[in-house]
Structures are given as structure tokens and as C-alpha cells.
Amino acid sequence: MIRDSEPEVSVFSASDLERLEALEELQIIESGPEPVFDDVVQIASTVCKAPVAIISFVQEERQWFKARIGFPPTETPIDQSVCRYSLNSEDLLIIPDLTKDPRTSSNTLVTQAPFIRFYAGARLILSDGVALGALCVIDHVPRPEGLTQEQRSVFEGSRGTDFRSSGTSSRSKPPARTP
């Protein structure tokens, strides 16, 4: 039992706090549509032959979608976020069957409508290494083969996207490519 006099223990790491600070400084959350982001998800969806493509920014209690195709909600609670797992992955995160992965098998987006089954996502980071969110593609059927090399190249091409919404950032370092 936690008593009022006991200090609260944070479940957030330093990188989580840096991400939240960067998102606030960039003023990108709740910003309007921007063609560059819409173009990236369109290309990802087309090349990966995926019905869903999203650029998400991961906050403390939710992930917010800057651009999306095939997924009507503009955000989801953090407990439904698969993109949050991409934040700690230096490589492209591919989950061929979300029902078989212990991180996602009980996710309500997997167990209930829309019944997502496949996920591929790459973290989106700033030049100082702060991971903001992910570019991902999602399918409603498992893909045991994952993605082809050509499809993987979509994520390579997106890594230089400028995350400074409308030039409002006060961060001194420009965004960089994801590793």
C-alpha cells in the first residue's frame, strides 16, 4: 500500500521524458494535416500493399496520429499502441502475427475490431536521438514473410522527414534519419 508520505515512483524513463518534452517543444500534437506527412503514409500504404499506414507520435497516455490511411481514429490509448514498441527498436520492428506476439496478443485492436494482424514500424527520431513516434503499416492478415526489401526501403526513405510542424520548433537540432 502506498502512503501519502511515500514518494511516487515514475514508470517513465529519461528517454520517455525527453520525448514528451520534444513533442511539446515541436508543437506538433493536434496540429493540422500537412502534405508531407500525408504523402509519406500514402507511399507506405501503396508500396507495402497495406490497408493501414500511420505516422504516430507517442505521448504519456495516448498515441496521436499526425497522418493516417485506413484507420479512422485520430488517436488511441497508450495500452493499444503497438508503435510504442518501435521506440526502443533501432531496426524496423516487424511483427508478422500480432496474435502470436506476447506484447500484442491481448491488445484490443488485435482481439476486437479492427482485428489487426500484421505490424511493421520504424521509429521517428530527432538528430539528438529522441524517438518521437513511428511510421507504421498494418494489415488485417498475418504476413509470415514480413516485408520485401523494396517495402522495407519505404521506411529508409521516411527517416529524413522534418518533424518541425510549420516551423514552430524551438529545438536547436534538426530532425535526423532513424538508424
Side-chain angles (χ1 to χ4, degrees), residues 60-166:
E60 187 174 350
E61 296 184 10
R62 69 176 179 158
Q63 66 177 350
W64 177 76
F65 307 133
K66 175 65 178 169
R68 66 198 188 288
I69 289 177
F71 195 79
T74 58
E75 65 183 64
T76 62
I78 199 66
D79 64 340
Q80 291 181 332
S81 174
V82 180
C83 291
R84 66 184 163 155
Y85 300 116
S86 292
L87 297 178
N88 297 319
S89 179
E90 298 216 3
D91 296 319
L92 176 63
L93 174 64
I94 297 177
I95 305 175
D97 188 341
L98 294 164
T99 65
K100 294 181 179 177
D101 189 294
R103 296 170 292 185
T104 58
S105 61
S106 63
N107 184 316
T108 55
L109 296 174
V110 175
T111 62
Q112 302 170 24
F115 299 102
I116 63 174
R117 292 293 181 263
F118 171 80
Y119 175 91
R123 66 186 182 155
L124 302 172
I125 63 169
L126 297 174
S127 61
D128 58 5
V130 176
L132 300 176
L135 166 64
C136 73
V137 293
I138 297 169
D139 205 337
H140 300 287
V141 295
R143 292 190 185 187
E145 72 287 351
L147 296 175
T148 66
Q149 191 57 44
E150 178 185 19
Q151 291 168 334
R152 288 171 178 258
S153 71
V154 168
F155 294 93
E156 294 292 326
S158 71
R159 293 178 179 171
T161 303
D162 188 345
F163 300 107
R164 292 170 290 177
S165 177
S166 305

